[in-house]
Amino acid sequence: MAAHWNVKSVRNKAATKKVAVKRKAATKPVRKASAKALTKTSTPKGDVWPTPSSKAWGQVGKALDGVRILDFTHVQSGPTCTQLLAWFGADVIKVERPGVGDITRGQLRDVPNADSLYFTMLNHNKRSITIDSKHPKGKEILNRLIRECDVLVENFAPGALDRMGLTWEHIHKLNPRMIVASVKGFGPGPYEDCKVYENVAQCTGGSASTTGFLDGPPLVTGSQIGDSGTGLHLALGIVCALYQRNRTGRGQKVLAAMQDGVLNLCRVKLRDQQRLKHGPLPEYSQYGQGIPFGDAVPRAGNDSGGGQPGWIIKCKGWETDPNAYIYFITQAPVWEQICDVIGKPEWKSDPDFATPKARLPRLKFIFDTIEQWTMTKTKFEAMDILNKYDIPCGPILSMKELAEDESLRKTGTVVEVDHPTRGKYLTVGNPIKLSDSVSDVTRSPLLGEHTDEILRNVLGYSDEDIAEIQSSGAITAPEKPKAAAA
C-alpha cells in the first residue's frame, strides 16, 4: 500500500481528553514492552530489526508515542520545540505558575479574557499543570514528575533552574535517564549571562548585518529565526539524545543557543566571508554596479545566496498591491528559455549576454528588462508561464493569501482550531509530514486544565491526596487580599 499523508484537526474538548488518555496509556508500558516486541531478524551485519508492521500506513501510532516531556518553557523558543514534539505524539506536560501561567497568555491579546494567539499558536497538543515550585508540596510534585518523564525542556535565564533546586545532579539522582534540554541566548563565553530575544539573536548571529539594501541600515527579518529557529534545533537535539539513550541507558544535557542557531541558518554568509578574502563576490549585484566591497560580507538586498542571480521585480498591479511582485532567478541552464519568454531571443547569441560571466556586470539592466515583461502579467500568470520552462521563480505571497490557500489547508500546513474561550482561529500545523505517523493539531490547554488529571493518572495521587494538595496552595494561586471597607 502506498504511503500517504494523513492530517486531521481535533477541535473539541472531548477529543482532547481522548488523546490525553491514549498518551497516558502508552507511556510506561510501551517503553517496557517495546524491547520484547522486537522480532530478532538477522541481517548480514548481525543487527536486530523489528518486523515491519502489517497495519495500514498511518495506523501504527505517532512517532514519539510513549515519550513524556516535562515542559518548563515559555514565550516562543522553548514552546516551539515542545509543540513540535507534541505534534509527533509526545505527552507534553506544561508546568505553569498558578494564576499566572505563560506570560504570552495575556500578551498581544485580541479577544478579551481569552488566551492570546501568541500563546495558543505555540502550545497545541499539550497538557497544563499549575505548580508553585517554591511550595514544599509543589517541590514534591516536581520531583515525582521528573521520575516519570523522559525529557525536561526549559528556556529560563541562565541559572534559574539551579535556583529552583533542579540542578543537573539533583535531576539525575532522581532519574538517570532524564534528558535536560535548554535554550539559551548565547553559549558558554563572555555573553552567556545576557538576556536575549528574537531580534537580539538575529543581530548577534549575523543575520541583521547581511539583511537589507547596501545603502541602508541592518534589518531583522520577519521570520522568527532566533526563537522558533532555535526551538527547531533543540527538538532535533532532543530526538538525537533519546535515540542515543537507547544504547547508553542514560540521559544527557542538550543545549541550543540562539546565537548559534541563527549563525547556522546564516551559514552561506559565513561562506561568503571566506570567499571575500580572495576577491569580490561577483554574484552580488554591487559587483556589476562597480561598487567596491569592504572587508565584511555586505547587505545584499534581494540577491540570491546560491550563486544564481535573482531579484524581486514588479508584476501587474504593483501600483496598488504591495505584494504584486515575483522573485525571478536567471538560472544559467534556462537562460535561452528566459530570452524567448521575455522577447529577447537575440540575447542568446549576443556576447554581452550569452554567458553567465558576461551577464554579471549587466544584471541590473537584465532585471529591469525582465521586469518590463512581468509588469504585463499578474504574479500568478507569470509563475504559470515561467514554470512551463522550468524557470525558477516565486510569487510574493501575503499572509492573507497564505491564510486563504486551500492547498495548505488540505496538507495540514494551515489548520483551523476551535478554542473554548476565543472560538475558531487559524494556526500553522506540523511543517514536517511523516507518512506513517499521523499528525493532528489539538487546541492549547487552559491554564492548569489538566492538573488533577496529571496528579491522578501520571503521578498516582489519590483523590484524598489531591484534595490535600489543593488546600495546601501548592497548585492554586494565592487569594488576593480583600479591599478594606470604606
Side-chain angles (χ1 to χ4, degrees):
M1 180 177 179
H4 64 279
W5 309 126
N6 190 347
V7 184
K8 59 184 179 180
S9 177
V10 180
R11 300 188 180 122
N12 55 64
K13 189 172 181 180
T16 303
K17 285 187 175 181
K18 183 178 179 181
V19 170
V21 171
K22 178 183 175 183
R23 288 184 188 141
K24 179 186 78 69
T27 307
K28 288 293 183 179
V30 167
R31 288 201 292 269
K32 291 179 180 178
S34 57
K36 297 178 181 179
L38 298 180
T39 299
K40 294 187 177 181
T41 303
S42 296
T43 68
K45 294 183 179 180
D47 294 327
V48 176
W49 300 100
T51 301
S53 174
S54 59
K55 292 185 177 181
W57 290 92
Q59 301 300 313
V60 292
K62 297 183 181 179
L64 295 180
D65 276 348
V67 174
R68 182 168 282 152
I69 310 291
L70 186 56
D71 183 1
F72 277 101
T73 69
H74 58 291
V75 192
Q76 185 176 171
S77 60
T80 296
C81 168
T82 53
Q83 177 171 258
L84 189 61
L85 299 174
W87 278 336
F88 285 121
D91 178 16
V92 176
I93 298 174
K94 186 177 180 72
V95 178
E96 302 185 77
R97 284 177 55 197
V100 179
D102 189 321
I103 192 172
T104 59
R105 284 185 182 271
Q107 285 186 340
L108 305 177
R109 183 176 276 163
D110 58 318
V111 177
N113 302 315
D115 289 333
S116 71
L117 288 169
Y118 195 177
F119 175 84
T120 61
M121 293 177 70
L122 286 162
N123 291 280
H124 293 111
N125 295 58
K126 303 178 185 180
R127 297 196 280 175
S128 171
I129 182 173
T130 53
I131 304 174
D132 181 352
S133 62
K134 296 180 180 179
H135 193 284
K137 274 286 184 184
K139 291 180 179 179
E140 174 194 310
I141 295 169
L142 287 179
N143 285 339
R144 291 177 71 155
L145 280 169
I146 288 170
R147 292 190 185 98
E148 294 295 326
C149 292
D150 299 282
V151 186
L152 186 154
V153 188
E154 59 93 14
N155 62 332
F156 293 131
L161 206 62
D162 290 353
R163 290 190 292 273
M164 292 171 60
L166 300 179
T167 62
W168 168 258
E169 293 75 17
H170 175 75
I171 291 170
H172 264 241
K173 184 178 180 181
L174 292 172
N175 183 356
R177 293 173 55 81
M178 173 70 81
I179 293 159
V180 179
S182 304
V183 170
K184 293 292 175 275
F186 295 95
Y191 305 117
E192 62 183 308
D193 293 330
C194 295
K195 186 179 289 186
V196 175
Y197 292 99
E198 171 65 46
N199 289 351
V200 174
Q202 290 194 29
C203 291
T204 59
S207 176
S209 71
T210 57
T211 302
F213 289 94
L214 187 62
D215 57 354
L219 292 176
V220 296
T221 175
S223 302
Q224 304 295 286
I225 62 174
D227 276 324
S228 288
T230 306
L232 296 174
H233 283 93
L234 188 68
L236 174 60
I238 290 170
V239 172
C240 289
L242 285 167
Y243 189 82
Q244 184 175 354
R245 193 181 69 176
N246 290 336
R247 300 196 318 270
T248 66
R250 67 186 183 193
Q252 61 182 295
K253 296 180 184 179
V254 180
L255 171 65
M258 295 174 73
Q259 182 188 43
D260 298 0
V262 171
L263 181 56
N264 183 44
L265 297 175
C266 293
R267 65 177 65 191
V268 297
K269 300 301 182 180
L270 185 59
R271 173 204 66 191
D272 291 347
Q273 180 63 42
Q274 297 169 84
R275 293 174 57 229
L276 191 58
K277 295 177 182 178
H278 303 284
L281 305 173
E283 77 279 9
Y284 280 58
S285 55
Q286 74 180 75
Y287 173 83
Q289 298 171 41
I291 301 172
F293 286 80
D295 61 358
V297 174
R299 289 182 275 289
N302 292 317
D303 289 330
S304 170
Q308 301 285 348
W311 203 253
I312 292 177
I313 51 182
K314 297 172 184 174
C315 290
K316 187 177 182 180
W318 67 272
E319 299 92 341
T320 56
D321 181 356
N323 294 300
Y325 290 81
I326 194 169
Y327 196 90
F328 193 110
I329 298 176
T330 55
Q331 189 180 36
V334 291
W335 174 247
E336 293 190 357
Q337 291 91 320
I338 292 172
C339 294
D340 289 334
V341 167
I342 66 173
K344 290 290 182 180
E346 66 273 17
W347 280 3
K348 291 187 284 186
S349 56
D350 189 326
D352 286 343
F353 299 95
T355 66
K357 186 175 181 180
R359 291 193 290 273
L360 286 175
R362 300 169 176 83
L363 286 177
K364 187 177 187 306
F365 174 73
I366 289 171
F367 282 115
D368 285 347
T369 304
I370 295 172
E371 189 173 62
Q372 295 304 306
W373 177 79
T374 59
M375 287 171 63
T376 67
K377 314 290 181 185
T378 69
K379 60 188 178 185
F380 297 109
E381 290 171 343
M383 186 180 183
D384 287 342
I385 294 169
L386 296 172
N387 274 316
K388 291 178 183 177
Y389 301 96
D390 289 330
I391 299 169
C393 64
I396 307 305
L397 297 180
S398 69
M399 282 297 150
K400 181 177 184 295
E401 289 169 318
L402 291 168
E404 296 172 353
D405 190 323
E406 285 301 318
S407 67
L408 296 179
R409 303 286 187 98
K410 289 178 180 177
T411 61
T413 300
V414 175
V415 180
E416 185 178 74
V417 180
D418 201 359
H419 191 275
T421 58
R422 66 171 300 111
K424 293 181 179 180
Y425 65 93
L426 290 184
T427 188
V428 177
N430 193 343
I432 303 170
K433 312 298 194 291
L434 300 185
S435 63
D436 206 16
S437 179
V438 179
S439 184
D440 55 11
V441 176
T442 64
R443 68 168 177 81
S444 60
L446 302 176
L447 179 59
E449 179 178 353
H450 305 96
T451 299
D452 288 0
E453 175 184 303
I454 293 166
L455 292 175
R456 180 178 295 104
N457 298 335
V458 177
L459 303 183
Y461 283 105
S462 66
D463 291 343
E464 293 76 15
D465 293 332
I466 294 173
E468 181 184 344
I469 291 170
Q470 289 172 338
S471 63
S472 73
I475 59 173
T476 54
E479 292 185 10
K480 295 180 181 180
K482 296 180 180 179

